[in-house]
Amino acid sequence: MAKSETRIFRFQEGHSWKGVEREVYKSGQEEGRNWQGIVRQVIIGKSEECTTFHLRYFEITPGGYSSLEKHEHAHVVIAVRGHGRASLDARTYELNPLDTVYVAPWTPHQFQAASDEPFGFFCIVDSERDRPQAVSPTEADAAQAAGPLGES
Amino acid sequence: MAKSETRIFRFQEGHSWKGVEREVYKSGQEEGRNWQGIVRQVIIGKSEECTTFHLRYFEITPGGYSSLEKHEHAHVVIAVRGHGRASLDARTYELNPLDTVYVAPWTPHQFQAASDEPFGFFCIVDSERDRPQAVSPTEADAAQAAGPLGES
């Protein structure tokens, strides 16, 4: 495929970008991980762009959640729409628009919508990265027990 | 320096992130490039994060502009605050919040505020990248002549 040329992805109604596919994952599970109510848009990462990173936008519907997982690659998450809840290691944090999270390698993490509107966020990752893994039973218990909101 | 740990950068008043330095560049020039009225915040990229990319937030004051420049590395720009104008090659485009731009290698580019409020945007780049260069006289003339707004 030819290298991607300079291009503008217009933001449009429905929190989507013109020319970018909305991939809907109502629910699913894979290798011990499960998720619900997620829409993914890969803005940068599918067209042979000359970058060592990909830019994706995720939206989690109220009641939905990303999988509780861990991996070697780091995440950079920028909250954009609505309010979210991030489980990071054994603590829970509320995320409001433009709050930015650095998820270090191997940190168990999970995201949820925290209000009655979708929680939307950018997630930037290295273009070459390992596959997400299920967390250990101990890590799952710790995430489950994370009650009060952590301070940051 | 130790590798960075999981961390939340809280968005706060003044379009800034808690714990991130606001670097103010009132005006400057270097190697044939010049700029005016720019504030930079490096959110990811100064703390030994395990990513192959850096995340910066720039704000251009009304009347200000980034340097007209080109380089081998690509830019991904996400408009966040206010309204901007992007000169890309020999065309000009208006940018509104969440419009996203892929600036391919060697594309001459420049950003300006397009209203009476600051134009703020994220700019994501590879962590290893070449230095920006001044454009050629021909490229400068083309950027100067870019009159009507291009369609995207």
Side-chain angles (χ1 to χ4, degrees):
Chain A
M1 192 190 284
K3 289 291 177 191
S4 187
E5 297 191 345
T6 291
R7 182 169 172 191
I8 301 183
F9 299 91
R10 293 287 178 194
F11 182 66
Q12 61 188 10
E13 217 174 327
H15 273 71
S16 65
W17 282 263
K18 201 175 166 183
V20 177
E21 186 191 357
R22 289 180 83 253
E23 302 166 54
V24 180
Y25 301 96
K26 284 193 178 161
S27 66
Q29 59 178 52
E30 193 178 289
E31 296 169 8
R33 303 180 301 118
N34 72 93
W35 56 87
Q36 191 167 305
I38 296 187
V39 180
R40 181 176 77 167
Q41 295 178 71
V42 178
I43 305 172
I44 302 291
K46 290 200 161 176
S47 306
E48 294 288 307
E49 294 92 353
C50 297
T51 59
T52 61
F53 58 86
H54 291 170
L55 170 66
R56 299 97 48 88
Y57 176 78
F58 291 90
E59 231 169 55
I60 303 181
T61 55
Y65 50 86
S66 67
S67 73
L68 175 60
E69 63 182 39
K70 62 181 180 180
H71 37 69
E72 184 173 16
H73 66 274
H75 274 322
V76 171
V77 165
I78 307 168
V80 172
R81 179 187 188 184
H83 303 279
R85 196 169 290 124
S87 166
L88 302 167
D89 262 329
R91 302 189 76 174
T92 301
Y93 303 88
E94 207 172 308
L95 298 180
N96 296 307
L98 297 181
D99 284 344
T100 300
V101 187
Y102 173 72
V103 184
W106 298 117
T107 307
H109 57 278
Q110 184 172 39
F111 297 94
Q112 291 177 267
S115 70
D116 57 4
E117 79 175 303
F119 172 52
F121 58 92
F122 290 116
C123 178
I124 316 164
V125 286
D126 290 353
S127 51
E128 293 194 10
R129 58 187 183 274
D130 61 323
R131 289 179 65 83
Q133 299 177 16
V135 299
S136 71
T138 310
E139 288 165 336
D141 287 348
Q144 192 69 33
L149 291 181
E151 284 303 308
S152 61
Chain B
M1 190 189 283
K3 289 291 176 190
S4 187
E5 297 191 346
T6 290
R7 182 171 171 190
I8 300 183
F9 299 91
R10 292 287 177 195
F11 183 66
Q12 60 188 10
E13 218 174 328
H15 273 72
S16 64
W17 282 263
K18 200 173 167 184
V20 177
E21 186 190 359
R22 289 180 82 252
E23 303 166 52
V24 180
Y25 301 96
K26 285 194 178 162
S27 66
Q29 59 178 53
E30 194 177 288
E31 298 168 7
R33 301 180 302 117
N34 72 92
W35 56 87
Q36 191 166 304
I38 296 187
V39 180
R40 182 176 76 167
Q41 296 178 71
V42 179
I43 304 172
I44 302 293
K46 290 200 161 175
S47 303
E48 294 287 307
E49 294 92 354
C50 297
T51 60
T52 61
F53 59 87
H54 291 170
L55 170 67
R56 301 95 50 88
Y57 175 79
F58 291 91
E59 231 168 55
I60 303 182
T61 55
Y65 49 86
S66 67
S67 73
L68 176 59
E69 63 183 38
K70 61 181 180 180
H71 37 69
E72 185 174 13
H73 65 274
H75 275 321
V76 172
V77 165
I78 307 168
V80 172
R81 180 187 188 186
H83 304 278
R85 197 170 288 125
S87 167
L88 302 167
D89 261 330
R91 302 189 76 174
T92 302
Y93 302 88
E94 207 171 308
L95 298 180
N96 296 307
L98 298 182
D99 283 344
T100 300
V101 188
Y102 172 72
V103 184
W106 298 118
T107 307
H109 58 277
Q110 183 172 41
F111 297 94
Q112 292 176 267
S115 71
D116 57 2
E117 79 175 303
F119 172 53
F121 57 92
F122 290 115
C123 179
I124 315 164
V125 286
D126 290 354
S127 51
E128 293 195 11
R129 58 187 183 271
D130 60 322
R131 289 178 64 82
Q133 300 176 16
V135 299
S136 71
T138 310
E139 289 166 335
D141 287 347
Q144 192 70 32
L149 291 181
E151 284 305 306
S152 61

